[in-house]
Amino acid sequence: MVGLDKAELGRTLRTRRQEAGRTIASVAVDAGLSVPYIANLENGRGNPTVAALQQLAAALGFRLEIGLRGEDEGEGEGAAEPEVPDAVRRLMASPRVRAVARRLAQDRRAHVSLVTERLQDALLALGAVTGREVGERDLERLLDLLLLSGAAGLEEQARGES
């Protein structure tokens, strides 16, 4: 990958994983990648694909952002997305979020990292709508709503097939 500092990427991945209190093995399971692959990346080795980096970011509760910049463009130019608050990152790293994301991904035949990213977006949107910081109860209600609406959709689909 052009312009990618693999050592810096490795340090960032390791730091984010450790800050989340996660093992390489638990991240590997959530990301659908092997332990040696992630260990190599954390040690500045290997050539990660964009898909692998997206899966790692989602497993750690982050969003992968890739930008194209001209040589004369500064680092601070352009509209950057607001940073995800640490509280939301911690909420997104919960075992229940991972379990619900896997179930929703399976039901919708989507990748778990994409579902996790959309769950995070929904949680951030909820905070924007309510005008306050979201908490664990908000997340639990959101997950319950998604599971209930998915179950209702499956029931309607089953009724339509009979």
Side-chain angles (χ1 to χ4, degrees):
M1 300 181 103
V2 177
L4 177 68
D5 182 341
K6 293 178 189 175
E8 182 180 341
L9 172 66
R11 285 189 299 273
T12 300
L13 288 172
R14 177 177 283 122
T15 299
R16 298 281 171 103
R17 177 182 57 77
Q18 289 173 338
E19 286 174 351
R22 306 277 306 276
T23 64
I24 292 178
S26 73
V27 172
V29 168
D30 287 348
L33 301 169
S34 73
V35 170
Y37 183 78
I38 295 172
N40 278 333
L41 293 179
E42 285 190 3
N43 289 313
R45 296 187 303 266
N47 290 309
T49 64
V50 171
L53 291 175
Q54 183 176 10
Q55 290 167 246
L56 280 168
L60 291 167
F62 293 91
R63 179 189 327 227
L64 178 67
E65 293 182 9
I66 299 173
L68 299 174
R69 184 178 9 243
E71 290 181 28
D72 59 339
E73 294 180 83
E75 290 286 326
E77 292 182 13
E81 281 192 43
E83 180 143 344
V84 177
D86 288 338
V88 172
R89 287 190 215 284
R90 282 191 297 277
L91 289 170
M92 293 304 297
S94 77
R96 180 154 191 247
V97 168
R98 291 194 302 269
V100 170
R102 279 193 297 270
R103 178 173 173 191
L104 293 173
Q106 183 180 24
D107 290 349
R108 287 153 184 78
R109 294 184 176 91
H111 196 280
V112 70
S113 64
L114 179 60
V115 172
T116 303
E117 185 177 316
R118 288 182 177 165
L119 281 171
Q120 179 174 294
D121 290 344
L123 191 59
L124 290 169
L126 180 62
V129 167
T130 61
R132 62 178 175 74
E133 190 173 304
V134 292
E136 190 172 345
R137 289 180 57 173
D138 299 309
L139 176 62
E140 292 297 326
R141 289 177 178 145
L142 176 62
L143 295 175
D144 289 344
L145 175 66
L146 290 168
L147 289 172
L148 288 170
S149 67
L154 291 174
E155 289 173 9
E156 289 175 14
Q157 186 178 33
R159 271 187 250 139
E161 292 174 359
S162 48

